[in-house]
Amino acid sequence: MADARIASLRDVLASRGHTRSEQPDDDVMSAMLDIEGDIDAAARSIDDAQAAERRRLEDAPQRQRAVSPLRVPPVSRAQTLSGIWGSGWLATLWRWVSMPFSVLHFLAMIVLRSVGLTSRAPNGRDTIELSRFNEDPREAARRWILELERDTGGTSVPDESAQMRIALPNFFAGSYSDALREAKQQIQILVVVLTSTTHTDAAYFRTEVLTDAALVAQLRNEEFCVWGGDVQAREAFQVSRLLEASTYPFIAFIALQPRRSRSRGGALVAHPAVLSRMEGSPRTNLGAMSILAHIQDIVLPRTRTYLGSLRSERQHREMERELKAAQDRAYAEASKRDHERVLKRRAEEEQRAAHEQSKLSSEAAARAQQEKAMQWRCWARTNLVPLEPGANVAPQLRVAVHTPDGQNLQRRFSPTDTLEQVYAYVDTADVAGDHTGETKAPQDYVHRYAFDLVQTYPRRVLDKTNLQCALQDVHGFGPSANLVVEGMHDSAAADLDSSDEE
């Protein structure tokens, strides 16, 4: 099976003008078939590799390599072995042993050269550039743009600071997959530009075609997304195989096109498709005017209707999304205001309820205090106010008290009675007979007299700080005393009123 494939590959190469002597051996043929997986692709790779090799040989100057007088001429491996062991048969044996490895090295270099992994060093030998071939796709794209700007003296950034420089297409500085994704999201036409430094027209294409003002103005339009790369890089090489590029420079136009989807029941869905390809010499069919005419006559008419409908749908969706977002914001703001209003009303209700509760608690405490005050007055009327001495009992003191409500209280006290008993008599004067007889004072209650007893002449306030003082020891308190009630508070009057009602 492998021999048949190799024979088919040799037939394809012969049809392309390669003689039997110019074709690689069977091992290289097998390796190329394993790499490419297709006879035509392997033939194209071998053809490109040999064409590149011929151009390198034609363009390379014929330099005479003179041996420097300061450098010792190289010594062959056989001479080294002969000098070490002093025998020529060891060198012959070494050549026979190392011959398979030399053949394998030669075949590996041919394969690497065919896929663009080797380059010519100044000494004429092949050097492997695996680091560049394995370079990150995004970094490779940015490096390709920088090299293009360096070679042309232009810029691909459309800003005001670059007006004095030559304009270049606005190349996408990312990987091919990123550029394809960007073109799909923005509904743009993806323009893929592939070059190869091994082709003689590469410099002319970069400096003359990609700097054309009309072409640059067209490609800088919002309808286009431009991505470029050199096939010496890994991703650009893979893209060239994907787009079936046969020669360079190469340009492909990719855009969304309607396609029926089996997973969606045959519905039409937008799918990226290759619209057209352009390749060849930039001096003829790949010149700036040819590319511009191809875009205006073929690419744009083919995509304008469908992409325009996709853009209209996207704009409609964006408008609906913005409208929904505005409605959601308005609803969120209204909900926030309603929530704040509810919280405010709830706080006011809680504050009102707390105020009512405090008021009820205060009223309950006041009522309890009034009840304790009335209980104390009833108790004091029986247990604290002394019995009035008889008219024939001597000595005795006559006390007359004038209250703020116009009452005149008169009573006899014993000289040994205390000042507190006089205050209690005046404070309990309004206690009815039904409330007397309390035998127990209220607990947790300290009674405070809310008035002062004042002697009329000379005016003297009976001190409440010494209520246990006997009346006979009170200064200015004679056999009779006229007293006036002063400073009775409203609370005391309210208590008296409530007691009167009771």
Side-chain angles (χ1 to χ4, degrees), residues 205-231:
F205 178 77
R206 293 159 67 92
T207 57
E208 299 297 332
V209 177
L210 294 182
T211 58
D212 184 78
L215 180 60
V216 170
Q218 180 67 62
L219 294 180
R220 282 194 174 187
N221 192 285
E222 294 180 354
E223 295 180 302
F224 294 93
C225 176
V226 188
W227 181 87
D230 193 278
V231 293

Side-chain angles (χ1 to χ4, degrees), residues 36 39 60 69 74 100 126 148 152 200 251 280 291 293 339 342 344 356 364 407 415 430 438 501-502:
E36 298 295 341
I39 295 176
D126 290 324
L148 179 62
T152 60
T200 56
I251 297 178
I291 299 173
H339 183 65
V342 169
K344 182 179 180 181
E356 293 293 335
Q407 294 184 11
D430 56 345
E438 291 286 346
E501 292 176 0
E502 291 178 356

Side-chain angles (χ1 to χ4, degrees), residues 196-406:
S196 176
T197 54
T198 61
H199 286 71
T200 56
D201 293 332
Y204 180 85
F205 178 77
R206 293 159 67 92
T207 57
E208 299 297 332
V209 177
L210 294 182
T211 58
D212 184 78
L215 180 60
V216 170
Q218 180 67 62
L219 294 180
R220 282 194 174 187
N221 192 285
E222 294 180 354
E223 295 180 302
F224 294 93
C225 176
V226 188
W227 181 87
D230 193 278
V231 293
Q232 299 298 324
R234 178 183 58 182
E235 187 177 40
F237 177 78
Q238 295 174 349
V239 173
S240 69
R241 290 293 176 261
L242 178 65
L243 300 179
E244 298 179 355
S246 59
T247 184
Y248 305 99
F250 173 86
I251 297 178
F253 299 91
I254 303 174
L256 295 174
Q257 292 294 293
R259 191 182 70 174
R260 295 195 178 276
S261 174
R262 295 181 180 178
S263 60
R264 298 187 181 182
L268 292 177
V269 297
H271 189 271
V274 179
L275 302 176
S276 60
R277 301 175 180 85
M278 298 184 68
E279 56 187 357
S281 174
R283 303 178 188 273
T284 55
N285 58 335
L286 205 60
M289 293 297 101
S290 300
I291 299 173
L292 189 59
H294 182 82
I295 292 174
Q296 296 176 351
D297 298 339
I298 298 177
V299 177
L300 291 180
R302 184 177 175 183
T303 59
R304 183 175 288 114
T305 303
Y306 184 66
L307 295 185
S309 63
L310 292 180
R311 295 188 185 101
S312 300
E313 292 177 2
R314 184 185 65 177
Q315 184 178 5
H316 182 68
R317 289 194 301 269
E318 290 178 352
M319 292 178 59
E320 290 183 347
R321 190 181 302 110
E322 292 177 358
L323 178 61
K324 186 177 183 303
Q327 293 176 350
D328 293 342
R329 287 194 298 269
Y331 177 77
E333 293 176 357
S335 300
K336 182 180 179 181
R337 290 194 298 268
D338 293 341
H339 183 65
E340 292 176 351
R341 191 181 300 111
V342 169
L343 292 179
K344 182 179 180 181
R345 183 166 59 250
R346 185 179 302 171
E348 292 176 352
E349 292 177 355
E350 292 177 354
Q351 185 177 3
R352 188 182 302 109
H355 179 70
E356 293 293 335
Q357 184 65 29
S358 176
K359 182 178 179 181
L360 293 176
S361 300
S362 300
E363 292 177 353
R367 285 194 298 270
Q369 193 73 6
Q370 290 177 3
E371 291 176 358
K372 290 183 179 181
M374 180 56 65
Q375 183 181 353
W376 183 89
R377 289 191 180 97
C378 294
W379 171 82
R381 186 69 178 177
T382 304
N383 300 278
L384 190 58
V385 177
L387 297 175
E388 185 177 9
N392 56 353
V393 176
Q396 57 181 337
L397 300 176
R398 179 179 291 276
V399 177
V401 181
H402 183 71
T403 62
D405 56 356

